[in-house]
Amino acid sequence: MDAPSPRSKTEISGGAHATRQHDSAHKHVTGSADYIDDMPEPAGTLHGYLGLSDRAHAKITSLDLDAVRAADGVIAVLTAADVPGSNDISPSGRNDEPVLATGTVLFHGQPVFAVIAESREKARRAAKKAVFCYEDLPHVTDVRAAMDANYPLVTDPLKLERGDIEAGLAGSPRRLQGEMRIGGQDHFYLEGHIAFAIPGEDDEVTVWSSTQHPSEVQHMVAHALGTVSNAVTVQVRRMGGGFGGKETQSNQFAAIAAIAAKKLNRAVKIRPDRDDDMIITGKRHDFVVDYDVGYDDSGVIHALDASFAARCGFSSDLSGPVTDRALFHADNCYFYQDVRLVSKPMMTNTVSNTAFRGFGGPQGMLGGERIIEEIAYALGRDPLEIRKANFYGGPGRDITPYHQTVKDNIIARVVEELETSSDYQARRAGIIAFNETSPVVRRGIALTPVKFGISFTATWYNQAGALVHVYQDGSIHLNHGGTEMGQGLNTKVAQVLAEEFQVDLDTIRITATTTGKVPNTSATAASSGTDLNGMAAANAAQQIKTRLVAFAAEKFNIPEDQVAFEPNHVRVGNELMPFGDFIKLAYQERVQLSAAGFYKTPDIHWDRASGKGRPFYYFAYGAAVSEVSVDTLTGEYQVDRVDVLHDAGKSLNPALDIGQIEGAFVQGMGWLTTEELWWDDKGRLRTHAPSTYKIPLASDRPKIFNVKLADWAENREPTIRRSKAVGEPPFMLPISVLEALGMAVASIADYQVSPQLDAPATPERVLMAVERLKAMVTEAYVSGEDEADA
Amino acid sequence: MAHRTSIRFLLNDRTVELSGFAPDLTLLDWLRIDRRLTGTKEGCAEGDCGACTVLVGRLDNGILSYESVNACIRFVGSLDASHVVTVEHLNRPDGTLSAVQQAMVDNHGSQCGFCTPGIVASLHGLWLSDPEPAESDIERALQGNLCRCTGYEPIIKAAIAAAKTIPTEDNDRLVASYGATIEALTGFADGARVTVESERGTTFLPADVDDLAELYAAHPEATIVAGSTDVGLWVTKHMREIAPVIFIGHLEGLKQISLDETGVTLGAGVSYTAARGALVAAFPQLAELWDRIGGEQVRNMGTVGGNIANGSPIGDTPPPLIALNATVTLRRGAERRTLPLEAFFIEYGKQDRQPGEFVESVSVPALEDDVFFATYKISKRRDEDISALCAAFHVTLDDEGMVASARIAFGGMAGTPKRASATEAMLTGQPWNWDTIQAARTALAEDYQPLSDWRASAEYRMLSAQNLMIRFFLETCGAPARIERHPAMAEA
C-alpha cells in the first residue's frame, strides 16, 4: 500500500463500479486455487462411490451386496437402512426424494447404495459388483407421453389469469394455435459434485460441499443424520461452476458422505465420475408449450391461453418454483390484454430436474417469443415489428399476468439503440437479398429482447447476512452467505466493502462461505448474490463505521459530521489518520470492530393462491441481434455475428458483468443449438458425458461478438449502488440465435410460413424444418396455390 | 538388447524413475494422488473437456517440442523419456506469471477457474510453437478445452495478447531449460526394452518395432496402446482390465512418414498432428476434416493406425482413406501382409487381424489428375465431436464426361466404414449431371440402413448423406455449396 501521505490518493483502488479482476484470477491461472478435491486429506480418509439402479421404473425384488462387501479395499456398504435420521433430502418438503432408494426405483441411475473403500478406484470397482433383481414397471420419460399416460404432477400447478380469456380469444380478429417443444440442458459445471465430510466430537460433522446452498446442505445433513443443525458445519470456498446445478443437487452427496463419516469415524470423500454425475443429478426442465393466441392485423396480441408442461422427473425438487417462473416470464416484454397461463409440472421416470440459470424463465420466455414469431410469419412481417407493437408501456398496458405493474420499463430504448448500433434494418435487407440468389446457404437475423424479474419468488429467501471483522492492523475479514462459483460475487461484495470503508480492495480478505459464520443463508441463485450479500456486507460495515464515528467524535471532542472515511484514511476534524492507525486506536479504546450485517429485500409480496402480487423487486433488461448462416443441405450452421446491449444498472464491475453476459449468451446458445439430452426406450440417458453431450466450444462462439452495457442504466430501486443483477437475464439473449436460424429456414418458403423450429435446433432439427418447408412449397407449387419459389 | 524394469522421465524440474506401477495408471491420477500436483483437474476423464491438459515434451530427431495432451487418458507407462509439464511449472523462472497466465488475468479469462489450468496449458503449448497465431489457430488449439463460464471471448483475447510476447530464456522456464532437457531426454533414450511388473499386470515398452513384433507374438492377449485416446476410456469409463499392455507410442520405427509422387505412407504410430503436413500436402481436401478430428490434445496423442485398428464404425479417417484406395500393412512376427483398407473391416466389432498381428502402416496412393475427391463430416457440434456420418467421394470422369469410376465410402451409416457399392455401380457410365446425382441419391438408400441414436436419427443420416452427394456434385461444378467459415477464420 501507499506510504501514509494524506494527499497521496484521491481514490481507493477497487471500489464500487471499478473494473477489477476476479479475486482468484492469479490462483486460477497458476493452478493454486483449491477446489474440494484439491484439499489435503486427513490420514485415513476413505472414499465413497454410489451404486445406481439400472431400471427406469421397477421394484427391487432383491439386492445382493455380498460381492461388493467382499471386494478389495471395501470398508462399508451403506443402504437406506443405514440412514440414521430421515431418509429424505427433498428440498420441497414433500418427502419425495430419498437419500438412497428403497423398494422402488423411479429413474435409471437412481442411487441405491454407497460403497466406502480405501480408495475411490476401489469403491468404484466394487460398486459394479452389486446384483439387482427387479420387477419392471411401466415407465415414461417424455413430457407429452406423461400427459397422455395421466402421470401425476409432482407439485401443485400455478395459474396466472387476468381479464376474460374466453371472450378475448373469441373476439380476436385472428387466432392461431401451436405447440413448441423445448429441450432441457445439463449444467456441465467443469467441477462435478463432491462432498468431503470430516467427523467431529459428539454428533458434530464438518462437510466441505461444492454447493450453492450451504445452509440447505447443513439442514439436509442434520435431517439425514437425525441430529440438529448446530451439529453440522458446511463450508465452500469456491465451486468450479454451479449454474443452479448445485442448488439442491449437492444434498445427496453431502448427506451420504456425512453418514459414512459419522458411522466410520473417518473422513469420507465422495466424487462421482462425470458420467455418473450427469446421470444422477437433475437438469434444466424440458417443456412442451401449447398455445392459443388471439391477435389483430397489426400483430397486437389480444388474448393468450397457454400451458407450460415440464419434464420434472421423479420428484418435486424445485419444479414448483421453476414452472412458476416459466409462467412469470411467458410475457417477456409484452402486454397481454386477456391472459391465462397454467403450469403442468409432470412427473416422469427421469432424474429430478432442478434449478438452472434462469430457473424456468428461459423456457417461459421462449414460448412467448415463439408466439410472436408465429404471428409475424402469419402476417408476413418482421418479427421485430410485432415485438414493438406488443411492448409494455402506457396506461393500461403495464400490468403483467401476475398483476405486477411494470414501472421500470426501458426495453423500448434498449431495442432502439441496439437496432441502430447493429445496423439491423440494412443488414436484414441485405440478408433477404442474399437469400434470393443463394441456393444452398441461407442466412437469418433476429433481434430479441429480454425482461427478467429479479427476486426469489419464495419471498423469505430474499434475505442475506454478512460477517465483517476489522483487525487491529486495519486489515479486514469479509464473510457473507453467498457462494463463489465463478461469477465474481466475492470480488463485487469486497468492492462494496472497500467503498464503504474507503480502503483499497486488497485490504480485504475474502474467506470461505461457512454456515458457522453466517447462518440461515439463501441459495446463491436467482441472480441475487450481489444484491443481497452486497447489501448485508454494506450493512455490517455501516454498523462498524457508526461505532467508529461515535468513538472518534467522543475521543477528539468533535461533532460526528467531522469524522469521515476518506481514501485509506479517516478524517478526524482537521487531522487525516491512516486507516490502520485509526483502527488501532479504536481497538485500544475498546470499540467493537466486528459486525454481523443483514439485509432483506423491501416491498415484495406474492400470493400464489390468487396469482397476484409483486414477486419481483425490479426487472433487468437487454436485447441481442444475432446473424447466422445455415446450410440447407445438411442443417449445419454457424453464428456469424452477435450484438448485445444489456442493462446491469449502474454496474458494480463492468468487466465482470460483461463476462457474465458473454458467458450466459454462449451457454444459452448451447441450450438452443447443440446441447441435446437423449433418452433411449429403456429410459437411459445416453448423452451423459462431453463425448455425447455437446456444449459450445471456442469455435462456436459468435465470430463477431459485440457486447455492451447500457451505460446510462441505473436501477430505479435503491439496490446496492444502483446496480442490477446480471447472472441470469443475459441467458435469454440467444433466443435471437434460434429465431435467426428460423428465418434462414423460413427463406425456403419466402418467409410466408412459420419455421416452428423447436429447441435445441441441432443440425438435424434445422434440416428437418427445411424439409418441412420445402415440402409445403412443392405442394403449393403442384397445386398451383402459391407462387413461392422453390 | 538392454532391459530395464523402470521408466524414466522429467516431471517439471525433477527426474522421475518409476517402477511397479499399474499398466492402466493414468497420468492424471498419478499427478493428483501420488504427487499432490492438484493444479491439473479432472473434468470428464475421457479426453473431451481438457481440464486435465498438461504439456508433454519429446525429442524428435534431436528437436524438443511440447504438445498438449489429456492427462486423464494418458497412461504413465507411455511417458518414458518425455518431459511432463504441469501448470505448476508454467510460470516464469522468477515465479511471476507467464505471458499466457498474465494475459488470462488481464483479459478476465477465468471465472470459476476449474478449466483454467488446462486452458493455460493448451495456450502455453500454442504460444511456444506458433509466434503469430491466427484466431483460427487459437480456436483449433482450444478445441479440446471446454469452458462453461466465459463464452471463450476473453480467452481468445488472452491468447492474442500473449502472442505479443516472444518466448525467451528470460520469460519461460521451458525455453530456459531447453538444453538441459534435451540432454536429460537423450540420456533416457537408451534403446532398452522396458518391462514393469505390478499387482495389476505387466507393462511392456518394446525396444523397437522388431521387438514389438516379438513381444506381441509372445503375448497376443496384450493390449497395444498407441495414443490411448480410445483405450484410455476402456479404463476410465468401463474399468476394463487391459493388462498386459504394450506401449508403442515411443517407437520411432512406427513414426515414419513418407511422401512422394506415388502417395503417402504413415507408420501406425504417427499421430494425427504429425500426419497432417504430409497428408494435406498430398490431399488438400483432407485439411478441414483433419482439423475436426477430436480436439488438439486428442490429435496430439491419437494415431491413424489406432483409428483403423480399433475398427470403429464412426472413426473419421477410414471413409476418406477407403475412398482413396488406401492399403493397410499388418505384421505378425516377421510376417507382413498388405490388404485394401476396406477389406480390413469385416463387420461391427470384427476386423481382419489375427492374434499377435498389429497394424504397422497405412499407404495412400496419390490422387491422379482430374479426380474429383472430397470428404465431409457431419456432427452435432462442428468441432471435437464424433461423426454422425462421414462421407468421402472419389469420382473420375472419362473424356465424354461420363463417370469412369466412383469410390464412395461412408462412416456412421453401417456397422463398419463401408463403401456405397450400389451407388457406385449406378453412377459408373452415367453422365455427371443433376439427373444422375438424383438417381444416386435414391441408390444410396440401397447401400445403407443407418441406425438412430443420440448423434442422429436414421432419417437424418440418410437424408444428409444423400444431400452430401448434391454438395459434392455442386462443388465439382465450382458452385458454392456450403457455409464458408467467417472471413476472420480464413487467415490460417
Side-chain angles (χ1 to χ4, degrees):
Chain A
M1 271 193 272
D2 292 352
S5 79
R7 304 281 173 195
S8 66
K9 246 178 155 183
T10 54
E11 259 184 49
I12 56 165
S13 164
H17 313 303
T19 276
R20 272 296 172 279
Q21 273 76 28
H22 191 286
D23 68 275
S24 293
H26 271 69
K27 288 180 275 193
H28 292 156
V29 299
T30 53
S32 58
D34 283 344
Y35 302 79
I36 292 170
D37 203 32
D38 304 333
M39 293 167 53
E41 296 171 3
T45 294
L46 299 173
H47 300 263
Y49 212 82
L50 302 184
L52 314 180
S53 78
D54 50 3
R55 289 292 191 281
H57 190 197
K59 276 184 194 156
I60 301 174
T61 53
S62 74
L63 173 57
D64 182 351
L65 296 169
D66 288 352
V68 183
R69 289 194 182 87
D72 178 36
V74 170
I75 304 293
V77 179
L78 309 178
T79 65
D82 298 293
V83 178
S86 178
N87 184 26
D88 174 55
I89 43 166
S90 160
S92 67
R94 298 175 81 94
N95 300 320
D96 58 359
E97 192 167 342
V99 179
L100 292 168
T102 176
T104 302
V105 291
L106 294 169
F107 75 98
H108 200 289
Q110 187 169 16
V112 179
F113 66 93
V115 189
I116 313 298
E118 288 161 353
S119 74
R120 181 172 175 271
E121 188 190 352
K122 286 176 177 174
R124 194 173 165 209
R125 287 180 184 278
K128 293 282 174 209
K129 295 179 187 290
V131 182
F132 282 92
C133 290
Y134 300 99
E135 183 185 323
D136 282 321
L137 299 167
H139 70 267
V140 162
T141 57
D142 176 70
V143 188
R144 182 67 78 191
M147 286 190 278
D148 292 345
N150 285 319
Y151 250 49
L153 303 178
V154 292
T155 186
D156 300 331
L158 175 67
K159 180 160 77 172
L160 300 181
E161 195 162 19
R162 215 199 49 242
D164 184 340
I165 184 64
E166 310 299 347
L169 283 172
S172 295
R174 287 170 164 262
R175 200 159 156 183
L176 62 82
Q177 294 86 28
E179 174 206 276
M180 182 178 200
R181 283 177 171 257
I182 300 168
Q185 184 179 28
D186 189 88
H187 304 83
F188 211 86
Y189 29 62
L190 263 286
E191 179 211 31
H193 277 283
I194 183 166
F196 186 20
I198 301 167
E201 295 177 348
D202 301 323
D203 53 351
E204 292 170 11
V205 64
T206 298
V207 184
W208 287 87
S209 168
S210 186
T211 179
Q212 296 170 239
H213 201 349
S215 282
E216 182 161 274
V217 171
Q218 176 196 22
H219 303 149
M220 290 297 170
V221 166
H223 190 53
L225 282 174
T227 185
V228 286
S229 291
N230 68 12
V232 181
T233 304
V234 175
Q235 314 208 102
V236 55
R237 171 61 182 89
R238 61 174 62 81
M239 283 164 274
F243 316 114
K246 294 172 178 173
E247 184 169 346
T248 60
Q249 304 298 295
S250 320
N251 295 341
Q252 192 160 34
F253 305 99
I256 296 169
I259 291 165
K262 291 307 289 181
K263 184 184 172 82
L264 303 168
N265 201 27
R266 310 248 307 250
V268 174
K269 184 153 81 178
I270 296 183
R271 176 174 69 84
D273 182 65
R274 170 66 63 180
D275 293 60
D276 287 337
D277 184 299
M278 290 180 75
I279 288 166
I280 296 169
T281 65
K283 306 167 197 320
R284 181 183 296 285
H285 293 64
D286 322 56
F287 272 72
V288 174
V289 185
D290 290 298
Y291 47 89
D292 183 349
V293 61
Y295 60 103
D296 62 25
D297 291 342
S298 57
V300 173
I301 295 171
H302 290 207
L304 174 63
D305 189 11
S307 79
F308 293 75
R311 164 153 54 199
C312 297
F314 79 98
S315 75
S316 52
D317 187 74
L318 298 171
S319 292
V322 165
T323 48
D324 287 2
R325 191 169 273 266
L327 300 195
F328 285 128
H329 288 84
D331 62 334
N332 196 8
C333 300
Y334 314 119
F335 174 67
Y336 302 143
Q337 181 74 49
D338 297 302
V339 59
R340 179 169 62 203
L341 306 170
V342 296
S343 69
K344 293 180 182 170
M346 301 304 304
M347 181 183 179
T348 47
N349 295 112
T350 52
V351 66
S352 188
N353 282 331
T354 191
F356 193 146
R357 199 176 204 167
F359 204 73
Q363 296 95 314
M365 194 178 292
L366 184 55
E369 291 298 346
R370 158 64 76 85
I371 291 160
I372 294 282
E373 191 185 30
E374 290 258 44
I375 294 170
Y377 283 101
L379 295 173
R381 306 257 301 273
D382 177 356
L384 180 57
E385 296 172 29
I386 310 303
R387 298 200 155 91
K388 289 177 177 173
N390 284 286
F391 279 159
Y392 281 114
R397 288 184 56 83
D398 57 358
I399 311 287
T400 63
Y402 43 95
H403 300 259
Q404 174 167 353
T405 304
V406 182
K407 290 179 176 164
D408 57 7
N409 190 359
I410 55 168
I411 195 60
R413 179 172 177 189
V414 169
V415 166
E416 188 187 330
E417 287 191 9
L418 181 65
E419 192 179 339
T420 304
S421 67
S422 68
D423 200 19
Y424 170 82
Q425 295 297 349
R427 284 166 62 204
R428 187 169 195 273
I431 284 167
I432 289 170
F434 170 88
N435 287 344
E436 279 170 13
T437 58
S438 179
V440 174
V441 176
R442 296 295 173 92
R443 288 158 64 196
I445 188 169
L447 190 162
T448 60
V450 166
K451 163 182 132 288
F452 194 80
I454 303 299
S455 293
F456 288 97
T457 55
T459 303
W460 65 90
Y461 260 35
N462 296 288
Q463 60 172 307
L467 182 65
V468 174
H469 306 319
V470 184
Y471 292 104
Q472 293 175 47
D473 60 358
S475 66
I476 297 172
H477 168 118
L478 166 63
N479 197 274
H480 58 82
T483 55
E484 176 63 44
M485 58 194 114
Q487 79 278 46
L489 169 63
N490 281 340
T491 313
K492 282 186 175 180
V493 175
Q495 286 180 270
V496 166
L497 203 58
E499 188 73 34
E500 285 292 338
F501 282 115
Q502 283 296 300
V503 295
D504 291 341
L505 188 60
D506 62 6
T507 311
I508 295 161
R509 180 168 303 267
I510 298 155
T511 55
T513 311
T514 168
T515 56
K517 283 183 183 170
V518 177
N520 307 320
T521 56
S522 298
T524 306
S527 308
S528 67
T530 304
D531 281 12
L532 298 176
N533 294 291
M535 279 298 218
N539 174 255
Q542 285 152 11
Q543 293 177 45
I544 296 170
K545 281 163 63 182
T546 301
R547 293 183 208 132
L548 288 169
V549 167
F551 143 75
E554 187 186 340
K555 169 89 179 170
F556 297 100
N557 198 23
I558 52 171
E560 288 197 352
D561 62 10
Q562 287 187 25
V563 182
F565 290 82
E566 297 189 8
N568 295 308
H569 293 79
V570 180
R571 179 174 294 282
V572 181
N574 291 324
E575 194 187 349
L576 204 53
M577 296 176 71
F579 184 77
D581 292 358
F582 177 78
I583 292 296
K584 182 93 180 167
L585 196 61
Y587 164 74
Q588 285 169 343
E589 297 290 330
R590 297 185 291 179
V591 176
Q592 187 193 359
L593 295 173
S594 173
F598 185 75
Y599 175 72
K600 58 179 178 178
T601 311
D603 304 329
I604 50 174
H605 54 91
W606 171 238
D607 178 6
R608 193 173 185 273
S610 67
K612 292 180 182 177
R614 182 192 177 185
F616 302 120
Y617 190 37
Y618 64 88
F619 296 98
Y621 298 85
V625 178
S626 294
E627 180 180 336
V628 303
S629 300
V630 169
D631 180 335
T632 57
L633 287 176
T634 59
E636 295 166 290
Y637 48 78
Q638 70 182 11
V639 180
D640 297 315
R641 175 174 165 182
V642 169
D643 295 72
V644 167
L645 182 61
H646 194 81
D647 157 36
K650 195 161 160 40
S651 172
L652 275 174
N653 184 327
L656 295 187
D657 284 352
I658 284 176
Q660 286 297 295
I661 296 164
E662 290 171 344
F665 191 96
V666 171
Q667 194 177 65
M669 193 180 86
W671 167 52
L672 296 173
T673 55
T674 58
E675 294 184 38
E676 186 172 33
L677 296 165
W678 197 90
W679 278 265
D680 67 14
D681 56 4
K682 294 189 170 65
R684 291 182 294 184
L685 175 66
R686 302 302 296 272
T687 47
H688 50 67
S691 53
T692 48
Y693 184 77
K694 312 310 288 187
I695 74 169
L697 286 173
S699 52
D700 296 313
R701 80 193 196 291
K703 297 299 166 279
I704 301 171
F705 198 7
N706 301 315
V707 175
K708 277 183 62 183
L709 297 174
D711 53 13
W712 42 265
E714 181 173 294
N715 201 328
R716 73 193 293 277
E717 300 294 344
T719 52
I720 186 73
R721 304 259 162 204
R722 299 281 175 179
S723 64
K724 282 191 179 182
V726 74
E728 293 166 295
F731 182 87
M732 284 141 279
L733 297 170
I735 291 174
S736 54
V737 172
L738 185 70
E739 194 177 295
L741 290 169
M743 176 182 168
V745 170
S747 72
I748 298 290
D750 201 24
Y751 316 100
Q752 301 300 308
V753 180
S754 174
Q756 293 177 340
L757 197 51
D758 284 347
T762 56
E764 173 166 344
R765 275 203 188 77
V766 171
L767 183 62
M768 293 312 177
V770 166
E771 289 295 309
R772 183 180 134 257
L773 266 61
K774 276 185 181 169
M776 291 174 77
V777 169
T778 309
E779 208 174 294
Y781 179 75
V782 169
S783 63
E785 287 170 8
D786 200 321
E787 290 183 7
D789 52 69
Chain B
M1 187 173 62
H3 288 263
R4 272 191 277 137
T5 58
S6 61
I7 59 168
R8 301 172 305 190
F9 59 97
L10 296 176
L11 170 63
N12 297 332
D13 55 359
R14 300 281 178 89
T15 298
V16 174
E17 179 153 5
L18 273 188
S19 58
F21 57 85
D24 59 0
L25 175 64
T26 64
L27 174 56
L28 182 62
D29 276 355
W30 182 73
L31 288 173
R32 289 185 57 85
I33 299 171
D34 291 37
R35 293 287 155 147
R36 294 292 307 158
L37 287 170
T38 55
T40 307
K41 310 300 182 194
E42 179 180 316
C44 70
E46 63 174 8
D48 256 277
C49 81
C52 66
T53 304
V54 298
L55 296 179
V56 171
R58 276 196 183 273
L59 281 181
D60 182 16
N61 292 320
I63 296 173
L64 175 63
S65 61
Y66 290 91
E67 290 184 327
S68 58
V69 307
N70 293 120
C72 68
I73 52 169
R74 183 77 184 239
F75 296 118
V76 167
S78 73
L79 296 170
D80 193 46
S82 68
H83 183 195
V84 176
V85 181
T86 70
V87 67
E88 288 88 351
H89 192 65
L90 289 179
N91 51 12
R92 293 176 188 229
D94 66 1
T96 58
L97 298 184
S98 72
V100 167
Q101 289 168 327
Q102 189 62 52
M104 282 285 285
V105 170
D106 293 344
N107 288 280
H108 310 278
S110 70
Q111 287 185 20
C112 85
F114 201 83
C115 73
T116 312
I119 283 179
V120 166
S122 284
L123 291 183
H124 203 97
L126 176 72
W127 179 66
L128 286 175
S129 63
D130 187 346
E132 289 180 31
E135 216 169 288
S136 55
D137 298 322
I138 299 166
E139 289 183 2
R140 196 166 58 234
L142 290 174
Q143 278 171 351
N145 290 88
L146 300 178
C147 169
R148 194 55 154 166
C149 296
T150 64
Y152 302 100
E153 191 70 15
I155 297 171
I156 303 285
K157 285 180 180 148
I160 293 167
K164 292 183 177 139
T165 304
I166 304 298
T168 65
E169 288 187 9
D170 296 329
N171 66 25
D172 185 64
R173 277 205 215 178
L174 301 183
V175 176
S177 62
Y178 202 75
T181 304
I182 290 175
E183 195 179 325
L185 298 188
T186 306
F188 294 153
D190 58 1
R193 176 198 282 188
V194 181
T195 308
V196 178
E197 300 288 351
S198 81
E199 281 179 12
R200 295 186 46 77
T202 308
T203 296
F204 294 109
L205 279 76
D208 53 31
V209 181
D210 290 339
D211 191 30
L212 163 65
E214 189 181 317
L215 266 173
Y216 197 32
H219 299 278
E221 78 286 8
T223 306
I224 292 190
V225 175
S228 68
T229 57
D230 191 23
V231 179
L233 278 71
W234 301 1
V235 170
T236 62
K237 295 300 167 184
H238 307 299
M239 289 177 281
R240 263 169 71 176
E241 300 294 343
I242 59 168
V245 171
I246 303 174
F247 287 102
I248 63 169
H250 61 292
L251 295 175
E252 289 304 321
L254 289 179
K255 293 190 181 181
Q256 303 304 310
I257 300 170
S258 78
L259 166 66
D260 58 29
E261 65 280 4
T262 64
V264 176
T265 296
L266 302 172
V270 175
S271 70
Y272 299 109
T273 299
R276 190 183 192 279
L279 271 181
V280 171
F283 314 104
Q285 300 92 330
L286 286 179
E288 185 188 308
L289 175 75
W290 217 255
D291 291 344
R292 293 176 59 193
I293 297 171
E296 181 85 349
Q297 297 93 323
V298 162
R299 290 191 296 270
N300 288 337
M301 293 165 68
T303 62
V304 181
N307 201 228
I308 291 168
N310 78 359
S312 167
I314 45 177
D316 282 332
T317 64
L321 294 180
I322 288 171
L324 287 166
N325 211 3
T327 56
V328 57
T329 297
L330 302 167
R331 178 169 173 185
R332 178 165 57 174
E335 292 170 34
R336 290 186 172 88
R337 64 188 175 110
T338 296
L339 67 160
L341 180 57
E342 62 192 274
F344 179 72
F345 303 107
I346 298 170
E347 60 185 60
Y348 179 72
K350 188 175 175 195
Q351 297 85 46
D352 183 359
R353 190 163 66 86
Q354 304 303 312
E357 195 175 39
F358 62 92
V359 174
E360 189 173 47
S361 64
V362 187
S363 294
V364 198
L367 276 180
E368 288 160 26
D369 291 344
D370 305 330
V371 173
F372 293 133
F373 170 67
T375 184
Y376 309 119
K377 170 175 173 170
I378 303 283
S379 51
K380 208 179 279 183
R381 184 177 68 196
R382 178 185 160 80
D383 292 322
E384 203 207 23
D385 197 357
I386 291 164
S387 294
L389 67 155
C390 183
F393 302 96
H394 182 287
V395 170
T396 54
L397 304 184
D398 64 18
D399 294 341
E400 273 74 53
M402 307 299 229
V403 175
S405 77
R407 295 178 62 87
I408 299 172
F410 276 89
M413 295 290 284
T416 62
K418 185 170 167 275
R419 279 178 69 179
S421 42
T423 309
E424 291 174 359
M426 179 264 129
L427 280 169
T428 307
Q430 297 298 310
W432 190 238
N433 62 26
W434 183 255
D435 290 343
T436 299
I437 288 301
Q438 293 304 324
R441 292 181 76 221
T442 308
L444 207 61
E446 290 173 39
D447 283 310
Y448 302 109
Q449 289 78 44
L451 297 176
S452 288
D453 66 12
W454 50 93
R455 294 199 175 90
S457 69
E459 296 74 23
Y460 176 71
R461 283 193 162 104
M462 180 53 71
L463 181 59
S464 55
Q466 290 169 325
N467 285 355
L468 287 175
M469 301 223 34
I470 297 178
R471 178 193 282 179
F472 178 61
F473 171 73
L474 290 173
E475 290 188 341
T476 63
C477 302
R482 55 177 152 165
I483 298 169
E484 288 301 314
R485 295 296 277 168
H486 190 274
M489 303 299 304
E491 303 156 54

